[in-house]
Amino acid sequence: MNALRHTISLVSLGTFQLVRRTRGPHARGFLLGTGLGLASFSAVTYAHSAEAVDPKVNGVQMNTSRFMAEPITDSKALLGDKENMRHRMEILIMEIQAEFCRALEAEENCGQKFKVDRWERPEGGGGITCVLQDGDVFEKAGVNISVVTGSLPPAAVQQMRARGKNLKEGASLPFFASGVSAVIHPRNPHVPTIHFNYRYFEVETAKGEKQWWFGGGTDLTPYYLCEKDASHFHQTLKSACDEHDPTYYPRFKKWCDDYFRIKHRNESRGIGGIFFDDIDSPNQEAAFNFVSSCARAVIPSYVPLVRKHKNREYGNNERQWQLLRRGRYVEFNLIYDRGTKFGLYTPGARYESILMSLPLHARWEYMHEPKSQSEEGKLMKVLKNPKDWV
Amino acid sequence: MNALRHTISLVSLGTFQLVRRTRGPHARGFLLGTGLGLASFSAVTYAHSAEAVDPKVNGVQMNTSRFMAEPITDSKALLGDKENMRHRMEILIMEIQAEFCRALEAEENCGQKFKVDRWERPEGGGGITCVLQDGDVFEKAGVNISVVTGSLPPAAVQQMRARGKNLKEGASLPFFASGVSAVIHPRNPHVPTIHFNYRYFEVETAKGEKQWWFGGGTDLTPYYLCEKDASHFHQTLKSACDEHDPTYYPRFKKWCDDYFRIKHRNESRGIGGIFFDDIDSPNQEAAFNFVSSCARAVIPSYVPLVRKHKNREYGNNERQWQLLRRGRYVEFNLIYDRGTKFGLYTPGARYESILMSLPLHARWEYMHEPKSQSEEGKLMKVLKNPKDWV
């Protein structure tokens, strides 16, 4: 039985974390793109009811309790058509979300847990937003999945045409989008911020043909540069890419450096990683496997850095520098990030899921510039001129 | 003698405040619009040299020491053609900047002063950026003037055409822009933030005719609502408007409410004020007098509120709420403000002057919503549904 129950207040159910009611209005829009902006909408929160039982199809049982909340798509349907790429992607992002959230919770020294908001979207689909705020290791950590269907307005079709998609101009087209995205802002300035996003997209052309593609990426934003960490991070991503195509890492590393640029300051948000979009070759199976490898590389690329630095001592100078760099993070996300901009301009967007990427605290000082020989200055050199790490 | 001297390091000269060297690269772009984005560029800082003597033209002496720095236009030229609107506007904005900075300094309990950056722009003109940071009353206060000439690129001409200006499409047109803008973020959550901007614009059409107009506005962003303060603020602006045209205040109050809207949250940045653009009637003299009245209304509209609340007690709850609202301020400025967006997309913009409007600290909490009966909730009601104050 797949009963859903509307939770009225803060409540903890079964194997799930604390669930609370989403306060925003019902959604009317849709979101695409990178970052946490992917398909995020406001809706009331649902959770496993106490009576919920895992579904069984043809004797095969799906253990949904390993996820952060019940899947967006009916579990029987997910199990019933396991070859469907929509379903495979939904199961992948549910797994990635749960594994990442639990890996982060395991690093918290005092047992802080993610809060889980499961929301539905009247036009179709929904999402699960997990946030851990004010932890002792993670100041603000957001991990979001969404699975939405709807109609792509002409402006969005136009944006895709500009990217080279062969879609009819001026038409509204049916679409499906699913993805996982996360931004983790740790408290200790020696632990870097990580962002990742992996997504699958389908759009139906005016002739009724289906186009599909994958996009995504993972990138790191340290406050203090540790070259060994940077190499480990990039090497882990490179290994994930190399399994599939030796040209991927160099191409997607450069794409990442180009994308995460704070243009008005002529500096990068962080030390990069990989970034790609419109992946539809050599075939759907291979593309899915590539995206799976990248998504599964997140934990080994990042969690060792958390463990290594989370208990290091730091003082007020390091904290103030971290807050200044978080101000730069806000600048990038609000001014340049495609997903955030596109999302926020969409009427009825679930802005709480989109803006979950913003840090708990940020700082702006007029004319701040670190000394070039300082640790802060060394980071700036790499942000001004991205370098190769592997 | 109007000698200029290139200051190499932090130095205090004559009656001027501390001057320091601007670190950014030389400018290549230009900026227009509202907020601090108006015509701000990076350049090396100049200041009165020790030998500088006030200029005398036809026996009339200009006392430039009352300004925050030497005017951008040569003082002899300013004095020599006093009927020229460019010169009248430059003198007005220099006076407004100096009077406002000194009125704020007078409110500081421990004598903090504005730092002054005077910068020039290779293409013509320059500006004076005054910042008081980490004061005991003002956490971050920025007051900027700029006076620039240059060539308006076709994209900017197109933007003006969209606003109804009769300009030739696809052409680069010579322009002149000058203005004063300020954003003041006090430390005490009971003291509101104020923003104002007054500007004059000239553009030469392809036929060699000159078009000119004024724009501007003043608006208030309280963290706690004091209805008496809100009425005082709006009444002061209304009186300034009413001297010139009884239709101005109601029209420009509504324009302000419409403009400073954080659309994705469906709430206003603050409790409004006045906002206008493209003022070119009934004649240049009357339009200038109107703008002068508005600019001179800033101090009486705001400084009494600072004095009234600056020493009030407050706790951590009030501080955290103030920081959350400052996060909303950042959202508006980086996502919606025309001047900021236009400025930051301009290559070579003096981003330090544009982003001076951002608070020293801001905070983003996931799903924060104050109780409707709390003081914070009362403010939110007014931000959701702007009301009339006079």
Side-chain angles (χ1 to χ4, degrees):
Chain A
M1 202 180 126
N2 188 28
L4 292 174
R5 197 166 65 83
H6 183 180
T7 59
I8 299 303
S9 58
L10 287 168
V11 60
S12 181
L13 289 167
T15 57
F16 292 87
Q17 306 302 334
L18 207 58
V19 176
R20 64 174 185 170
R21 205 169 157 276
T22 302
R23 295 190 190 86
H26 280 259
R28 273 160 290 118
F30 79 98
L31 320 176
L32 305 169
T34 64
L36 293 160
L38 184 112
S40 304
F41 297 84
S42 56
V44 288
T45 300
Y46 287 80
H48 260 319
S49 82
E51 325 92 74
V53 172
D54 286 329
K56 222 180 244 188
V57 174
N58 299 332
V60 181
Q61 188 154 332
M62 180 177 234
N63 179 13
T64 60
S65 69
R66 66 201 158 112
F67 301 143
M68 298 306 281
E70 195 150 341
I72 302 304
T73 303
D74 181 274
S75 297
K76 275 185 200 157
L78 275 184
L79 267 184
D81 183 4
K82 289 199 291 187
E83 298 311 304
N84 186 327
M85 185 52 75
R86 295 185 180 193
H87 296 171
R88 293 175 71 186
M89 188 66 180
E90 183 166 345
I91 291 170
L92 174 68
I93 61 180
M94 294 289 296
E95 285 173 355
I96 293 295
Q97 180 183 48
E99 288 164 12
F100 192 55
C101 286
R102 278 161 194 159
L104 298 184
E105 284 175 350
E107 297 304 320
E108 280 290 333
N109 297 322
C110 301
Q112 281 94 338
K113 301 290 179 193
F114 276 89
K115 285 184 184 173
V116 181
D117 274 342
R118 185 181 186 283
W119 41 272
E120 300 202 343
R121 184 170 167 266
E123 296 84 346
I128 301 164
T129 297
C130 302
V131 175
L132 192 160
Q133 201 165 265
D134 251 332
D136 57 349
V137 172
F138 301 107
E139 195 170 341
K140 194 165 166 197
V143 188
N144 194 55
I145 71 109
S146 54
V147 178
V148 302
T149 53
S151 182
L152 208 57
V157 173
Q158 184 50 40
Q159 206 183 47
M160 290 179 178
R161 282 173 51 84
R163 273 202 349 251
K165 295 285 168 203
N166 182 18
L167 299 171
K168 195 183 166 191
E169 201 168 359
S172 280
L173 301 175
F175 82 98
F176 167 88
S178 64
V180 57
S181 58
V183 177
I184 311 302
H185 294 294
R187 192 172 293 282
N188 192 311
H190 296 292
V191 183
T193 284
I194 192 175
H195 158 251
F196 71 87
N197 166 241
Y198 290 96
R199 57 193 182 272
Y200 171 66
F201 207 91
E202 285 180 8
V203 60
E204 205 172 289
T205 66
K207 288 178 190 159
E209 291 162 356
K210 193 177 73 182
Q211 290 196 26
W212 59 264
W213 64 90
F214 292 90
T218 303
D219 66 279
L220 199 72
T221 305
Y223 304 92
Y224 288 94
L225 186 64
C226 170
E227 304 220 345
K228 219 172 138 187
D229 290 354
S231 296
H232 163 82
F233 178 77
H234 274 269
Q235 184 57 57
T236 310
L237 302 186
K238 182 175 184 296
S239 300
C241 291
D242 286 353
E243 281 176 45
H244 301 272
D245 187 324
T247 72
Y248 277 177
Y249 174 77
R251 280 161 57 201
F252 301 159
K253 192 269 186 198
K254 182 177 184 314
W255 200 340
C256 189
D257 285 339
D258 292 344
Y259 181 79
F260 290 103
R261 195 80 186 158
I262 304 172
K263 292 179 191 69
H264 57 275
R265 295 188 182 268
N266 193 27
E267 67 187 38
S268 291
R269 188 176 77 170
I271 60 158
I274 54 171
F275 181 93
F276 56 86
D277 206 353
D278 300 322
I279 298 293
D280 56 5
S281 64
N283 55 59
Q284 202 177 43
E285 181 69 21
F288 175 74
N289 288 339
F290 165 60
V291 165
S292 303
S293 292
C294 292
R296 298 213 185 278
V298 169
I299 291 177
S301 76
Y302 181 61
V303 174
L305 312 187
V306 175
R307 205 166 296 151
K308 184 173 162 190
H309 298 294
K310 68 178 181 180
N311 294 322
R312 274 182 69 179
E313 285 193 8
Y314 64 92
N316 187 50
N317 280 352
E318 286 92 342
R319 172 65 171 167
Q320 296 307 317
W321 171 245
Q322 180 198 49
L323 295 180
L324 277 174
R325 294 307 310 166
R326 290 202 167 147
R328 307 293 185 264
Y329 208 92
V330 171
E331 286 179 28
F332 178 84
N333 286 22
L334 297 186
I335 299 172
Y336 300 109
D337 186 59
R338 255 167 42 184
T340 306
K341 278 202 302 187
F342 197 88
L344 293 180
Y345 278 115
T346 302
R350 188 172 197 265
Y351 57 81
E352 287 286 2
S353 293
I354 300 168
L355 298 177
M356 189 173 78
S357 65
L358 301 181
L360 197 60
H361 290 106
R363 178 176 167 94
W364 282 269
E365 252 179 65
Y366 177 67
M367 300 289 286
H368 183 278
E369 197 177 308
K371 290 202 178 76
S372 67
Q373 292 311 310
S374 65
E375 287 304 310
E376 293 81 7
K378 281 179 202 164
L379 176 72
M380 287 312 300
K381 269 192 207 88
V382 169
L383 299 185
K384 289 281 178 195
N385 297 298
K387 57 174 273 191
D388 289 329
W389 295 103
V390 289
Chain B
M1 202 180 125
N2 188 29
L4 292 174
R5 197 166 65 83
H6 183 179
T7 59
I8 299 303
S9 58
L10 288 169
V11 60
S12 181
L13 289 166
T15 57
F16 292 88
Q17 307 300 334
L18 206 58
V19 175
R20 65 174 184 169
R21 205 168 157 275
T22 301
R23 295 190 190 86
H26 280 258
R28 274 161 290 118
F30 78 98
L31 320 176
L32 305 169
T34 64
L36 293 160
L38 185 114
S40 303
F41 296 83
S42 57
V44 287
T45 300
Y46 287 79
H48 260 320
S49 82
E51 325 92 74
V53 172
D54 287 328
K56 221 180 246 188
V57 174
N58 299 332
V60 181
Q61 188 154 333
M62 180 177 235
N63 179 14
T64 61
S65 69
R66 67 200 158 113
F67 301 143
M68 298 306 281
E70 196 150 340
I72 302 305
T73 303
D74 181 274
S75 297
K76 275 185 200 156
L78 275 184
L79 267 184
D81 183 4
K82 289 199 290 188
E83 298 310 304
N84 186 327
M85 185 52 75
R86 295 185 180 194
H87 296 170
R88 293 175 72 187
M89 188 66 180
E90 183 166 346
I91 291 171
L92 174 68
I93 62 180
M94 295 290 295
E95 285 173 355
I96 293 295
Q97 180 183 48
E99 287 164 13
F100 191 55
C101 286
R102 279 163 192 156
L104 297 184
E105 284 175 350
E107 297 305 319
E108 280 290 333
N109 297 322
C110 302
Q112 281 94 337
K113 300 290 179 195
F114 276 89
K115 285 184 183 171
V116 181
D117 274 342
R118 185 182 186 283
W119 42 272
E120 300 202 344
R121 185 170 168 265
E123 296 84 346
I128 301 164
T129 297
C130 302
V131 175
L132 192 161
Q133 201 166 265
D134 251 331
D136 57 349
V137 172
F138 300 107
E139 194 170 342
K140 193 165 166 198
V143 188
N144 194 55
I145 70 108
S146 55
V147 178
V148 303
T149 53
S151 182
L152 207 57
V157 173
Q158 184 50 40
Q159 206 184 48
M160 290 179 178
R161 282 172 51 85
R163 274 204 345 252
K165 295 285 169 204
N166 182 17
L167 299 171
K168 195 183 166 190
E169 200 168 359
S172 281
L173 301 175
F175 81 98
F176 167 88
S178 63
V180 57
S181 57
V183 177
I184 311 303
H185 294 294
R187 192 172 293 282
N188 192 311
H190 296 292
V191 183
T193 284
I194 192 175
H195 158 252
F196 71 87
N197 165 241
Y198 290 96
R199 56 194 183 271
Y200 172 65
F201 208 90
E202 284 181 8
V203 60
E204 205 173 288
T205 65
K207 289 178 189 160
E209 292 162 356
K210 193 177 74 182
Q211 290 196 26
W212 59 264
W213 63 91
F214 292 90
T218 303
D219 66 279
L220 199 71
T221 305
Y223 304 92
Y224 288 93
L225 186 64
C226 170
E227 304 220 346
K228 219 173 138 187
D229 289 354
S231 296
H232 163 82
F233 178 77
H234 274 270
Q235 184 57 57
T236 310
L237 302 186
K238 182 174 184 297
S239 300
C241 291
D242 286 353
E243 281 175 44
H244 301 272
D245 188 324
T247 72
Y248 278 176
Y249 174 77
R251 280 161 57 201
F252 301 160
K253 192 269 185 198
K254 182 177 184 315
W255 199 339
C256 189
D257 285 339
D258 292 343
Y259 182 79
F260 290 103
R261 195 80 185 158
I262 304 172
K263 292 179 192 69
H264 57 276
R265 295 188 183 269
N266 193 28
E267 67 187 38
S268 291
R269 187 175 79 171
I271 60 158
I274 54 171
F275 181 93
F276 56 86
D277 206 353
D278 300 322
I279 298 293
D280 56 4
S281 64
N283 56 60
Q284 202 177 43
E285 181 69 22
F288 175 74
N289 288 339
F290 165 59
V291 165
S292 304
S293 292
C294 292
R296 298 213 185 278
V298 169
I299 291 177
S301 76
Y302 181 61
V303 174
L305 312 187
V306 175
R307 204 166 296 152
K308 183 173 162 190
H309 299 294
K310 68 178 181 180
N311 294 322
R312 273 181 70 178
E313 285 193 9
Y314 64 92
N316 186 49
N317 280 352
E318 286 91 342
R319 172 64 171 167
Q320 296 307 318
W321 171 245
Q322 180 198 49
L323 295 179
L324 277 174
R325 294 307 311 166
R326 289 201 168 148
R328 307 294 185 263
Y329 208 92
V330 171
E331 287 178 28
F332 178 84
N333 286 21
L334 297 186
I335 299 172
Y336 300 108
D337 186 58
R338 255 167 42 185
T340 306
K341 278 202 302 188
F342 198 89
L344 293 180
Y345 279 115
T346 303
R350 188 173 196 264
Y351 57 81
E352 288 286 2
S353 293
I354 300 168
L355 297 178
M356 189 173 78
S357 66
L358 301 181
L360 197 59
H361 290 107
R363 177 177 168 93
W364 282 269
E365 253 179 64
Y366 177 66
M367 301 288 286
H368 183 279
E369 196 177 308
K371 290 201 179 76
S372 67
Q373 292 311 310
S374 65
E375 288 304 311
E376 293 80 6
K378 281 179 202 163
L379 175 72
M380 287 312 300
K381 269 192 208 88
V382 169
L383 299 185
K384 289 281 178 193
N385 297 298
K387 57 174 272 190
D388 288 330
W389 295 103
V390 290

